[in-house]
Amino acid sequence: MQNFLAKNGPIISTYFLIAISFWIIFLIIIPQIYMLDLSFRPNLPPLLRGGEEDVYTLTHYKHFLFGSETSKDAYNFVDLNVFFKTLATAVVITVLSLFFCYPIAFYIAKVAEHKTARFLIVSLIVPFWINELLRAFALRILFAGEGVINNALLNAGLMDNAINFIGQDVALFTGLTYAYLLLMMFPLYNALESLDTNQLEAAKDLGSSTLRTHWRIVIPHAKAGIASGSTMVFMLTAGALATPVVLSSPNTFWFTQLIYQWFNMNDNWSRGAAYSVLLLLVSVIFVLLMMKIFRIKVGEIVK
Amino acid sequence: MSADVELQNISINFGDFYAAKNVSVMINKGEFFSFLGPSGCGKTTILRTISGFLEPSQGQVLIGGKNMAGIGPNKRPTSLIFQNLALFPLMSVADNISFSLEVRGHSKANRRARAEELLDLVALEGQGDKKVHELSGGQRQRVAIARALAIEPEVLLLDEPLSALDLKLRQKMRSELRAIQKRVGITFIYITHDQGEALTMSDRVAVMNEGRIEQVDTCQAVYEQPKTPFVASFVGENNPFHGKITACKNNLVEVSCDGNKFVADIGKIDCELSKKLTAGKKIILFVRPESISIKNNKTKTQNSFTAKLDSVEFEGHLQNLFLTTGSGMKVRLSVPNTEEISHLNVGQSMDFTFAAQNAVILPEGNLAVD
Amino acid sequence: MKSHHALKLLLGIYIFVFFAYLFGPLIIMSVTAFNSAEFPAVTPWECFSWRWFTDGKVTYDGQRLAGLMADTKLHDGILTSLQIALGVVLLSVPIGMAAAIVLTQLNSKIRTLFYSVAIMPVLFPGVVIGISTVVLWDRIASMTGGGAMTDIGRNGVFLTILAQTCFISTYCFLIFVARLQRFDKTQEEAALDLGASQTQVFVKILMPYLMPAIASSAVIAFLYSFENYNTTVFSILSDQTLTTVIASKVRLGISPAISALALVIIAITLTAAISYEVLKRREERRLTKIRQMQLHQTMPSDRLKQNQKTSFKLPKSMFLILLSCFGVIAGGNYLATNNLYGEKCILAADEAKKSNFADQLKLLQQNIGNEVTTSPQSGTTTGSQEFNNIFGDPNLFKNFGGFDSKTEK
């Protein structure tokens, strides 16, 4: 500590200490702790908070699992359904992103000429500078009941009735895959770029088929990029709110929308907090899992 | 204004590792003093301790008689020239030079004037507005020197500043540095592993090995009267004959080395050392390559030995002959290139001689590793 | 090799499809911005119109569909977004800088821990950060019971600035860390040795070096803050930012004004991207020129100078530009010849809709055989039950736009 003060002088040390402790303690740690705390408290009107009724309780988590006391079902099928559907869909979307992005990333990193590669990279980035909401709206315009796709199909006489893309998950699914594609693309591209092209040529020279080369040489090398991309895509997809708000329908609800509902519409902040904690847990567990499986460190995940 | 620097029993350790152990030396004011030693001998650590970047674990640093304990590098009357120069790339040459004045609040006019003065001193007139990356290696050296001298420090510390330069430039800079030092008159403390540098520039030299000072002396003394086997083998080339003392007679010591009987004149070495030289003691007898000659009928010296000629090497002004004695020891002998040696054959066995005065006897100890 | 060619062809098709998937929706959306129809559509094309950029339209059931210029809610949202972005930049950049510098001063054990903690916010879902900020400050506000603290603690702008700073600081942090990695520490030592105090070292040596990082992290912080939704929607409470206004249109009604907005943003983004590329290329050329000049200083040969003449190449983008010019001309021609543009077209379309509506109503009258008031804006307080049913039937008003027909469960 003394060294720190000596190294930076009094003014700068103060600035450093204030800035960093404000950030870490006040903005990162305490809010999460408080949210966790709130999730264990009953939903009380402001006057009763801190009073006698404010005890620790598992009622919100119980509600998530078992539903309200008046329901006849054994479990809270609605909420649980949404929860697991969100997770499962996120996993599927992550895997699909990986498959979609891999050929392109490989092409840009290894096959394309330098100028083409640069042009492709820039043109990949541009759509993602457009706000996620607007991109979701673009898809909504395409998929809506009287949207572009339906209009085209009806006018061409190929169908009689409009397809309900939105009600049938298609719109949301497409939207979510669309939204975070770039976050899979770039870690993959970076990882693949660092692969020595000579290795590929050596493999071909030794008689390896394209498939085998990829499986045995390219993919192990890109391991860190795959892990990083998958983690980011999964987390952002599971925690997505913008795209579901625009593209979902009542039967394709996303878990984050559930949180939103508890928070803003039902005004039950503690329950919203509890559901938030669940989402946070899922994210943390996934990150740790990826780190364990791929044997990478936290620092490698984030760009 | 220059000051003397005194190191009193300095030890610097990081856990179990001692970078410097019991280093004590008095550097006089106005002197060009060098710390010479192989990499890792502790000379950089000593320099950083003098300049204030490192506090010694034990002992004091006194500059001008004042204890520097607890005084940071920005408050000491020292200036350090780093090995990589550490010039500020985003500033112009003039701004680099006048930086020390800038941080002390001097006016712009003042700074400009002083920068011009120093640019003249280091022969870089008119280059003030250039950016650092536009200069050559030698020019950057001079900017570093000018920058360090701007605030007129009492001691200038130089950390192997010439190591990145090519030979010709290095030689040129050596004389320039010496000239600047004489002109400015402040104490220069110079560290290097190149003994040619140390010997040509310094008034006195401290030879260091593994954190300890082996010898502090003038260049001549360090070369001709080394006090330890390390110094004898590190400074210049030397041939170490291992053996035992057989007899001590006044100033002459008889030794037996691998079957050879040699005599050495120890008249010039100090009393401390001569006390250690008793019969039966294990010693190393050092003879410089230039002190060995091929035996011919004209020479009459007490010492001679037989060896086989392995190879001859031409080194410009010198010719080096590499020999192997009967007992397998490698000996090196150099003669000026004017001497005729074409009649010698490789593989030929010959006799060689050296004078007793040119033999240095030292107690057995560690030699410098090649 | 045949298989090699086939593979390359497949890859080419795949890339084309991929980019079509990426750009398609955006291009289509941009086109719909110019269609005067009330729901964004390409077919049927009503009229070419700029209305959605300007004042919009009032529909028959009284709903006001504002164009970009007229949408005051949108304007307020943009202003709030700007305020928040400014606040976020002012907080995140110093925080990120401090954290990055301190990181370099830590020993390896604490270092990994500190780094992991600094990265955490990016791994939290945005909604979690928003919620946690709100609940904490709500508690603080209620604890201090009235007064300035309560007002601040429940202020949407304040809360959003804090919530966004939480994770945007991490992005700034990463940028500074990258820049600091190549910093030569001996410069700091040299400055100290020359007599500078620590503060002077920071201000005169470190900050100038970090300037590019300060600039880029400020830009990144601004952009990330401006376009954030997940966190903002929870922390903004009663205020609105640009993103929450856009999101609210899902409920309030989708009109091509959204497409217009998207097109404006796309245009701005493209302009920014192109100018950035151009500036970057110019900077690169300038640097190579300096390097070549330096070479010439040490090597006075004239042979190198001759190589500097580069041949004038036709940029490949010329073809793209020509193609789009052609498209614009052809499209304009088509519009003009088919009278799909201008006041006349819009009036004609409106007439068509009115008569369509009148027809529908006549059909109703025939079917029900009741006396009906023809004003579409009349309430349903009188009349029989069937009356209510009819006006409650969404399919009747399908062609009149205004709100997206909600698909039923």
Side-chain angles (χ1 to χ4, degrees):
Chain A
M1 192 55 187
Q2 254 199 339
N3 278 341
F4 179 74
L5 203 67
K7 192 158 205 281
N8 294 308
I11 306 177
I12 305 293
S13 296
T14 325
Y15 151 52
F16 282 174
L17 280 173
I18 293 183
I20 296 178
S21 40
F22 174 69
W23 181 37
I24 293 188
I25 299 176
F26 220 57
L27 292 182
I28 302 182
I29 297 185
I30 293 191
Q32 306 310 321
I33 294 183
Y34 187 73
M35 186 179 78
L36 187 66
D37 178 86
L38 187 65
S39 72
F40 289 114
R41 293 181 187 277
N43 184 30
L44 300 168
L47 289 171
L48 292 175
R49 286 184 206 158
E52 302 170 330
E53 295 185 27
D54 200 351
V55 290
Y56 283 113
T57 162
L58 285 175
T59 156
H60 304 303
Y61 294 97
K62 277 197 200 146
H63 183 269
F64 172 68
L65 287 173
F66 302 116
S68 60
E69 285 104 19
T70 56
S71 117
K72 290 185 220 127
D73 294 326
Y75 290 98
N76 185 350
F77 287 117
V78 178
D79 286 356
L80 284 171
N81 196 17
V82 171
F83 183 68
F84 285 110
K85 195 159 164 224
T86 304
L87 292 187
T89 317
V91 171
V92 171
I93 288 181
T94 307
V95 174
L96 277 180
S97 300
L98 184 59
F99 275 106
F100 286 157
C101 289
Y102 185 83
I104 307 260
F106 186 77
Y107 178 77
I108 300 182
K110 287 285 149 232
V111 182
E113 286 170 17
H114 190 64
K115 271 200 171 164
T116 327
R118 227 169 123 182
F119 174 72
L120 285 175
I121 292 180
V122 173
S123 41
L124 271 180
I125 299 185
V126 168
F128 291 94
W129 281 349
I130 317 290
N131 194 312
E132 188 187 332
L133 284 166
L134 291 173
R135 278 185 281 142
F137 269 110
L139 284 177
R140 181 154 188 144
I141 290 176
L142 280 181
F143 283 124
E146 57 270 335
V148 174
I149 294 185
N150 274 326
N151 273 339
L153 291 174
L154 286 171
N155 283 346
L158 289 171
M159 284 172 355
D160 294 324
N161 289 321
I163 305 178
N164 188 358
F165 288 112
I166 294 185
Q168 303 286 343
D169 274 348
V170 177
L172 182 59
F173 197 84
T174 318
L176 285 171
T177 331
Y178 187 56
Y180 305 115
L181 218 51
L182 192 74
L183 282 153
M184 176 66 84
M185 182 70 74
F186 271 92
L188 263 185
Y189 165 76
N190 281 325
L192 289 172
E193 220 226 336
S194 65
L195 177 65
D196 185 5
T197 318
N198 293 330
Q199 286 190 27
L200 298 173
E201 293 175 4
K204 189 150 96 173
D205 194 51
L206 289 165
S208 161
S209 69
T210 320
L211 200 66
R212 181 171 290 233
T213 313
H214 278 267
W215 182 246
R216 293 297 302 276
I217 300 180
V218 184
I219 292 183
H221 182 91
K223 172 180 78 142
I226 296 178
S228 163
S230 309
T231 313
M232 293 308 279
V233 170
F234 176 83
M235 274 182 1
L236 286 171
T237 309
L241 185 54
T243 308
V245 156
V246 176
L247 286 174
S248 73
S249 69
N251 65 346
T252 61
F253 230 41
W254 207 244
F255 190 66
T256 44
Q257 291 177 288
L258 210 54
I259 300 179
Y260 185 84
Q261 227 178 21
W262 282 120
F263 219 77
N264 284 351
M265 298 205 242
N266 298 356
D267 226 16
N268 190 342
W269 284 18
S270 17
R271 191 154 292 178
Y275 279 46
S276 257
V277 169
L278 289 171
L279 182 64
L280 182 59
L281 267 175
V282 165
S283 290
V284 170
I285 292 178
F286 189 83
V287 172
L288 292 175
L289 213 72
M290 289 304 262
M291 280 168 60
K292 198 86 196 276
I293 297 179
F294 286 87
R295 264 162 286 172
I296 56 174
K297 285 177 259 166
V298 176
E300 299 178 42
I301 296 183
V302 190
K303 272 190 197 167
Chain B
M1 260 288 291
S2 76
D4 50 46
V5 177
E6 185 176 350
L7 301 174
Q8 291 179 341
N9 214 15
I10 299 274
S11 285
I12 303 161
N13 66 306
F14 307 103
D16 283 337
F17 170 67
Y18 274 82
K21 222 170 180 180
N22 298 336
V23 171
S24 294
V25 67
M26 176 72 179
I27 302 168
N28 304 316
K29 74 164 135 190
E31 189 177 12
F32 195 123
F33 190 91
S34 292
F35 282 91
L36 172 67
S39 316
C41 71
K43 50 194 198 297
T44 309
T45 320
I46 293 282
L47 204 71
R48 288 178 73 83
T49 311
I50 300 176
S51 59
F53 288 107
L54 209 53
E55 284 291 334
S57 326
Q58 276 173 301
Q60 293 78 265
V61 175
L62 288 92
I63 301 183
K66 196 163 154 215
N67 191 344
M68 290 284 129
I71 301 183
N74 47 0
K75 299 264 181 344
R76 296 196 189 193
T78 58
S79 266
L80 174 59
I81 297 187
F82 292 78
Q83 192 167 9
N84 70 345
L85 303 183
L87 295 176
F88 305 129
L90 301 170
M91 297 188 208
S92 69
V93 166
D95 285 337
N96 260 281
I97 294 178
S98 56
F99 183 78
S100 49
L101 295 158
E102 186 185 327
V103 298
R104 285 173 176 83
H106 288 227
S107 69
K108 234 182 179 168
N110 222 345
R111 279 155 35 200
R112 203 136 201 131
R114 184 82 178 121
E116 300 285 329
E117 231 179 277
L118 287 157
L119 285 167
D120 279 343
L121 178 71
V122 296
L124 280 175
E125 305 88 18
Q127 313 277 353
D129 289 321
K130 289 213 174 132
K131 282 271 153 66
V132 170
H133 62 80
E134 298 173 35
L135 301 179
S136 70
Q139 287 174 319
R140 285 188 220 178
Q141 278 289 335
R142 288 186 249 155
V143 174
I145 296 169
R147 183 177 73 171
L149 292 176
I151 203 62
E152 295 180 344
E154 295 171 8
V155 182
L156 188 66
L157 308 163
L158 301 99
D159 185 350
E160 299 199 59
L162 305 182
S163 53
L165 304 177
D166 60 67
L167 183 64
K168 274 268 168 270
L169 199 52
R170 232 184 296 155
Q171 287 172 334
K172 179 163 174 258
M173 288 303 297
R174 278 189 214 169
S175 18
E176 273 196 32
L177 274 175
R178 197 50 169 137
I180 292 177
Q181 196 260 341
K182 285 222 148 63
R183 225 177 308 159
V184 176
I186 64 180
T187 316
F188 268 40
I189 301 183
Y190 192 93
I191 67 172
T192 178
H193 60 270
D194 182 341
Q195 25 112 347
E197 247 170 49
L199 295 182
T200 51
M201 294 195 287
S202 330
D203 293 324
R204 285 194 303 154
V205 169
V207 183
M208 282 189 75
N209 184 33
E210 288 180 359
R212 289 179 204 274
I213 292 191
E214 302 252 335
Q215 182 174 358
V216 180
D217 235 325
T218 62
C219 305
Q220 193 135 21
V222 154
Y223 189 80
E224 290 178 0
Q225 286 144 3
K227 292 210 177 102
T228 73
F230 179 83
V231 177
S233 51
F234 184 78
V235 184
E237 295 294 334
N238 224 334
N239 294 302
F241 290 90
H242 297 259
K244 245 195 298 199
I245 300 183
T246 48
C248 290
K249 280 193 220 140
N250 302 327
N251 283 340
L252 293 174
V253 177
E254 281 175 29
V255 299
S256 161
C257 300
D258 286 328
N260 291 312
K261 277 201 155 49
F262 294 133
V263 179
D265 185 333
I266 57 163
K268 283 193 243 153
I269 67 174
D270 60 41
C271 317
E272 274 290 328
L273 216 49
S274 54
K275 281 195 203 131
K276 291 195 190 144
L277 301 176
T278 52
K281 182 111 183 162
K282 272 203 176 143
I283 50 90
I284 308 179
L285 182 136
F286 287 96
V287 190
R288 297 271 178 205
E290 61 269 19
S291 308
I292 305 179
S293 11
I294 306 166
K295 188 166 190 175
N296 57 34
N297 296 330
K298 287 190 231 145
T299 57
K300 223 183 172 192
T301 54
Q302 299 109 311
N303 298 312
S304 76
F305 63 94
T306 315
K308 189 178 66 156
L309 178 62
D310 286 334
S311 59
V312 178
E313 200 182 79
F314 178 69
E315 201 190 313
H317 58 293
L318 289 175
Q319 297 169 100
N320 297 316
L321 281 75
F322 293 92
L323 324 165
T324 313
T325 64
S327 54
M329 178 184 153
K330 301 272 179 216
V331 178
R332 182 186 170 129
L333 140 67
S334 23
V335 298
N337 68 355
T338 46
E339 186 165 315
E340 188 59 56
I341 57 164
S342 52
H343 58 281
L344 301 173
N345 297 318
V346 171
Q348 181 181 355
S349 219
M350 298 178 287
D351 289 335
F352 300 91
T353 65
F354 58 89
Q357 292 95 315
N358 293 332
V360 174
I361 294 194
L362 292 169
E364 178 77 58
N366 290 325
L367 298 172
V369 183
D370 257 339
Chain C
M1 276 182 291
K2 243 190 165 181
S3 63
H4 195 243
H5 281 299
L7 203 69
K8 270 219 148 171
L9 190 67
L10 213 69
L11 196 62
I13 295 180
Y14 182 76
I15 294 178
F16 181 75
V17 170
F18 193 86
F19 275 84
Y21 173 61
L22 276 187
F23 285 91
L26 294 174
I27 296 177
I28 294 180
M29 189 177 193
S30 310
V31 172
T32 65
F34 294 104
N35 187 357
S36 63
E38 276 151 21
F39 189 81
V42 178
T43 56
W45 184 272
E46 205 179 79
C47 301
F48 182 92
S49 147
W50 290 94
R51 71 167 12 156
W52 302 112
F53 292 87
T54 48
D55 38 90
K57 173 186 173 151
V58 182
T59 61
Y60 293 101
D61 48 348
Q63 205 177 34
R64 177 113 203 280
L65 301 170
L68 289 187
M69 294 294 187
D71 195 342
T72 47
K73 264 220 186 103
L74 191 71
H75 301 160
D76 289 338
I78 293 179
L79 267 158
T80 317
S81 289
L82 284 174
Q83 279 180 307
I84 294 175
L86 189 65
V88 169
V89 167
L90 288 175
L91 281 181
S92 308
V93 173
I95 290 179
M97 182 160 75
I101 295 177
V102 168
L103 183 77
T104 60
Q105 296 180 357
L106 295 173
N107 67 31
S108 53
K109 273 182 244 158
I110 322 179
R111 209 179 215 215
T112 356
L113 180 65
F114 183 78
Y115 191 76
S116 309
V117 171
I119 298 256
M120 270 197 327
V122 161
L123 299 173
F124 289 172
V127 303
V128 169
I129 297 181
I131 290 179
S132 53
T133 311
V134 171
V135 301
L136 175 68
W137 281 90
D138 180 76
R139 187 79 177 100
I140 295 179
S142 54
M143 275 197 318
T144 57
M149 206 51 177
T150 315
D151 290 335
I152 288 185
R154 301 221 165 96
N155 180 312
V157 173
F158 172 74
L159 290 177
T160 310
I161 292 181
L162 284 189
Q164 288 184 355
T165 303
C166 171
F167 64 92
I168 291 184
S169 301
T170 304
Y171 290 114
C172 296
F173 168 75
L174 289 172
I175 293 177
F176 280 109
V177 167
R179 179 75 177 153
L180 276 173
Q181 267 186 346
R182 282 174 296 139
F183 180 62
D184 177 10
K185 281 213 151 181
T186 53
Q187 278 186 49
E188 283 185 318
E189 291 184 344
L192 274 178
D193 181 72
L194 290 166
S197 68
Q198 277 87 359
T199 318
Q200 283 174 317
V201 172
F202 183 80
V203 171
K204 289 185 190 285
I205 306 288
L206 193 55
M207 287 262 286
Y209 178 77
L210 287 177
M211 263 315 164
I214 294 178
S216 55
S217 57
V219 170
I220 296 275
F222 186 86
L223 292 175
Y224 275 26
S225 161
F226 205 75
E227 65 95 46
N228 181 271
Y229 177 71
N230 288 17
T231 309
T232 314
V233 74
F234 287 99
S235 57
I236 196 67
L237 297 182
S238 48
D239 291 312
Q240 290 222 304
T241 66
L242 175 63
T243 47
T244 56
V245 167
I246 295 177
S248 66
K249 292 203 185 286
V250 178
R251 280 170 291 136
L252 298 178
I254 301 180
S255 75
I258 287 257
S259 313
L261 181 63
L263 183 57
V264 169
I265 293 186
I266 291 174
I268 296 179
T269 312
L270 272 179
T271 322
I274 293 177
S275 33
Y276 176 73
E277 253 315 285
V278 167
L279 283 173
K280 199 165 167 196
R281 295 250 178 99
R282 216 177 276 174
E283 181 68 20
E284 268 174 31
R285 246 177 278 152
R286 192 179 69 92
L287 283 173
T288 30
K289 242 190 184 168
I290 290 182
R291 250 174 265 145
Q292 282 185 324
M293 262 171 48
Q294 280 187 314
L295 262 162
H296 287 177
Q297 272 183 351
T298 52
M299 277 166 41
S301 94
D302 272 16
R303 261 194 303 143
L304 276 178
K305 285 204 182 124
Q306 287 178 0
N307 287 340
Q308 270 186 319
K309 270 203 210 128
T310 49
S311 54
F312 179 74
K313 280 195 208 128
L314 204 70
K316 287 192 188 140
S317 46
M318 275 305 279
F319 293 107
L320 209 71
I321 297 176
L322 281 174
L323 201 71
S324 37
C325 286
F326 185 72
V328 166
I329 295 174
N333 198 33
Y334 178 76
L335 289 176
T337 48
N338 287 335
N339 208 21
L340 288 170
Y341 176 74
E343 275 296 318
K344 261 199 273 183
C345 174
I346 292 180
L347 286 173
D350 282 352
E351 278 300 317
K353 276 190 230 162
K354 246 198 206 155
S355 63
N356 203 357
F357 183 73
D359 287 342
Q360 292 269 2
L361 223 50
K362 268 206 200 116
L363 215 66
L364 241 97
Q365 285 175 309
Q366 285 168 2
N367 288 346
I368 295 172
N370 282 334
E371 302 239 300
V372 168
T373 50
T374 52
S375 162
Q377 304 216 339
S378 68
T380 54
T381 46
T382 57
S384 59
Q385 187 73 354
E386 289 111 306
F387 228 45
N388 294 342
N389 288 342
I390 291 164
F391 278 94
D393 182 4
N395 287 323
L396 198 56
F397 296 99
K398 203 165 92 162
N399 287 330
F400 302 106
F403 50 86
D404 197 9
S405 56
K406 289 266 193 278
T407 50
E408 311 244 302
K409 232 186 179 166

